[in-house]
Amino acid sequence: MSATSMTTAPRRRGNTGIALTRRTGMVFVLPALILFGVFIAYPLLTALSYSFFGWTGIVRGDFVGLENYLTLFTKLPYSEDIPNAFVHNVLLFVGAMLFQNTVGLGLATLLHRVRRFKRFFQTMYTLPYLVSPLVIGYLWSLMLSPLFGPVNAVLRTIGLGEIAQPWLGNPQTAIWVVVFVTAWQWIGFPVLLYGAALGGIPEEIEEAASLDGASSWQRFRSITLPMLVPAIGTVSVLTFIGAMEAFPIPYALGGSQGNPAGATDVLSLLFYRTAFESGSSNAIGTSSAIATLLFLFIFGISMLITWLMRRAERKLF
């Protein structure tokens, strides 16, 4: 056998093995791709196509181009409801992100340093994350009830009765209740994610910095925090997506109208009202336009946040 044939034979077997591995991988990926196509890609493309047509009930009419989109910004009640709901979504994102990236990171850091009962506290913080948001919202609405809710009762018992109020009936506090409940439910996710990221930081690095005389705060600021940038980026992106598409908790706390007086209204509630409660003959076209704009905004900003975080990560490392 010639030297050329001896060298090409292993190469061919290697190429065959790579191709077999790729085909095997596709077998495992294919079910997920099918589910993604049926339940995500197809509805998105369908909503996009629906938004360019006029509708009479469930009967599709003529092609109207961008008319449904113009309706959202030029005709009542959409021209007033969309800015109001969008501001509440932004407040929900900012409040939840600040809460999760400060309290969540603080709890994860404490649990990382405390060995005793660590798993117990991790489980306790994660439990609300495993419960349906709709159930969480209804439970908090009962606890905040001005008639029989335990929150106001406790405040009166400890001498803070002047603080007690109808939390969900006051437009000044209702949106912040939604922010708090949302952040409280999802706090377990950043705690687990930051805990895993902290566990991946080599102890030798902090030990070396400690021997050089760095304080705990200096070690956290100069070593721990930069190495948590990937985790912070993941939490920020997922928090943004969750805040912009929030529906169960605002619905449970304020109903489909975003009560009181639209103080808890968000874009998903506006979509729900337009599609199922407006009674408009063109409900399909208008609601599809809302869904399309919401998706494009979430996708675009999520990509921007991811790009910024990766850029910051490259600068650090």
Side-chain angles (χ1 to χ4, degrees):
M1 182 180 293
S2 64
T4 304
S5 61
M6 291 177 64
T7 55
T8 55
R11 189 178 302 170
R12 290 175 180 174
R13 287 195 294 269
N15 293 337
T16 303
I18 293 174
L20 181 61
T21 302
R22 289 177 177 175
R23 286 196 293 268
T24 305
M26 285 300 299
V27 171
F28 289 99
V29 172
L30 189 60
L33 290 177
I34 294 175
L35 292 174
F36 177 82
V38 172
F39 294 104
I40 297 180
Y42 176 73
L44 284 174
L45 295 175
T46 302
L48 176 63
S49 65
Y50 286 175
S51 66
F52 293 115
F53 290 88
W55 292 79
T56 304
I58 60 174
V59 179
R60 191 174 73 177
D62 298 330
F63 179 81
V64 295
L66 299 177
E67 183 176 334
N68 290 324
Y69 295 92
L70 294 175
T71 298
L72 298 179
F73 298 100
T74 58
K75 295 184 180 180
L76 295 174
Y78 306 110
S79 59
E80 292 183 354
D81 289 346
I82 286 181
N84 180 59
F86 178 75
V87 169
H88 293 155
N89 279 105
V90 173
L91 291 177
L92 183 58
F93 164 62
V94 173
M97 187 181 69
L98 291 176
F99 189 87
Q100 293 179 350
N101 279 333
T102 53
V103 178
L105 180 56
L107 291 173
T109 303
L110 290 176
L111 292 177
H112 180 69
R113 296 176 179 177
V114 176
R115 303 297 179 183
R116 195 174 183 181
F117 301 117
K118 178 179 180 180
R119 299 302 179 191
F120 170 77
F121 286 110
Q122 285 180 335
T123 303
M124 293 301 295
Y125 290 129
T126 308
L127 280 178
Y129 173 69
L130 302 177
V131 181
S132 168
L134 196 62
V135 174
I136 293 292
Y138 282 129
L139 288 176
W140 273 99
S141 67
L142 293 175
M143 289 192 293
L144 293 171
S145 171
L147 300 177
F148 52 81
V151 173
N152 284 341
V154 170
L155 291 175
R156 296 187 183 97
T157 301
I158 63 177
L160 297 176
E162 65 276 5
I163 301 178
Q165 60 178 296
W167 299 95
L168 293 173
N170 186 349
Q172 302 299 323
T173 60
I175 184 60
W176 299 113
V177 171
V178 175
V179 172
F180 170 77
V181 173
T182 301
W184 174 85
Q185 183 191 10
W186 297 100
I187 192 64
F189 176 74
V191 168
L192 292 179
L193 189 61
Y194 287 138
L198 289 169
I201 299 176
E203 295 182 0
E204 295 81 3
I205 299 178
E206 291 197 6
E207 291 176 356
S210 179
L211 292 175
D212 289 338
S215 64
S216 298
W217 168 246
Q218 288 174 332
R219 294 198 302 271
F220 178 81
R221 182 188 61 188
S222 303
I223 298 175
T224 304
L225 193 60
M227 299 190 75
L228 291 178
V229 168
I232 294 174
T234 301
V235 171
S236 299
V237 170
L238 294 180
T239 302
F240 173 75
I241 295 173
M244 296 308 298
E245 64 179 15
F247 177 81
I249 289 179
Y251 180 82
L253 295 175
S256 62
Q257 301 297 322
N259 294 319
T264 60
D265 197 15
V266 290
L267 292 173
S268 294
L269 288 178
L270 177 59
F271 165 78
Y272 177 83
R273 291 199 306 272
T274 303
F276 303 107
E277 295 183 353
S278 66
S280 171
S281 60
N282 192 34
I284 293 179
T286 310
S287 61
S288 296
I290 296 175
T292 301
L293 289 177
L294 183 58
F295 167 75
L296 292 176
F297 179 76
I298 293 175
F299 180 78
I301 300 299
S302 298
M303 294 298 293
L304 177 61
I305 295 175
T306 302
W307 178 77
L308 291 174
M309 287 298 176
R310 288 181 178 176
R311 184 180 179 184
E313 185 179 351
R314 286 193 298 267
K315 289 183 178 180
L316 291 171
F317 301 104

